Amino acid sequence: IYFVTANTQHRAKILAMPAVHKGLQSFAESGPNHGAWLGRYVLMPDHVHAFVALDARKISLSAWIKSLKNALSKALRESAIESPHWQKGFFDHVLRSAESYSQKWHYVRENPVRAGLVSRWEDWPYFGEPLLSNTGNCRKL
């Protein structure tokens, strides 16, 4: 499982909006068809944090990030926000245990609170925990 972060160009505050959130959810739904399972995520105004599991035989992490950025850029263009939308590159970290995943998630989910956007992380509307499908068995990443 990878933990990834991608930042907007010049840290522009353009991601925290319903259209981008919907674009991310649609992207997540199509992921298993391409060997990618999106886990928990948080859309912040100027960056996105996400957990993803990949089938390396079908897609690389860099290809998945490129597809993610393209999907969110499409939603941004449809909302009349001009390109460029993204900084080049991304940050990634391989998680080696359930404990590591849990620790990262507890830190990431508090980002909107630390940024002063909400008083409780549960009140932030731009996060998710998609149910993932793997050969018909639903599970959470």
Side-chain angles (χ1 to χ4, degrees):
I1 298 173
Y2 294 96
F3 169 68
V4 297
T5 301
N7 296 317
T8 60
Q9 182 75 12
H10 305 298
R11 299 301 293 252
K13 297 181 182 329
I14 56 176
L15 298 179
M17 68 168 76
V20 175
H21 194 201
K22 184 176 180 184
L24 179 56
Q25 291 168 329
S26 294
F27 178 76
E29 289 173 11
S30 67
N33 297 331
H34 306 285
W37 295 266
L38 181 66
R40 295 171 172 160
Y41 65 86
V42 176
L43 273 174
M44 292 295 290
D46 61 356
H47 63 279
V48 58
H49 292 294
F51 297 88
V52 61
L54 300 173
D55 180 343
R57 296 168 298 175
K58 292 186 175 185
I59 190 165
S60 68
L61 181 59
S62 59
W64 183 82
I65 288 286
K66 182 178 179 181
S67 294
L68 170 68
K69 288 179 175 182
N70 285 338
L72 300 185
S73 285
K74 179 181 178 190
L76 289 165
R77 285 189 305 273
E78 289 172 355
S79 298
I81 297 173
E82 296 183 25
S83 297
H85 301 129
W86 299 100
Q87 285 182 6
K88 291 185 183 203
F90 58 93
F91 168 81
D92 68 282
H93 178 77
V94 176
L95 300 176
R96 305 206 184 277
S97 68
E99 180 181 341
S100 178
Y101 182 97
S102 180
Q103 289 171 345
K104 280 281 191 202
W105 173 241
H106 288 295
Y107 176 79
V108 167
R109 74 180 189 191
E110 294 296 328
N111 272 4
V113 176
R114 284 190 300 277
L117 300 169
V118 290
S119 58
R120 297 175 334 125
W121 72 269
E122 299 93 334
D123 295 334
W124 184 244
Y126 307 114
F127 81 96
E129 300 181 59
L131 283 179
L132 305 175
S133 176
N134 185 5
T135 63
N137 297 320
C138 288
R139 63 182 174 85
K140 284 192 178 182
L141 185 63

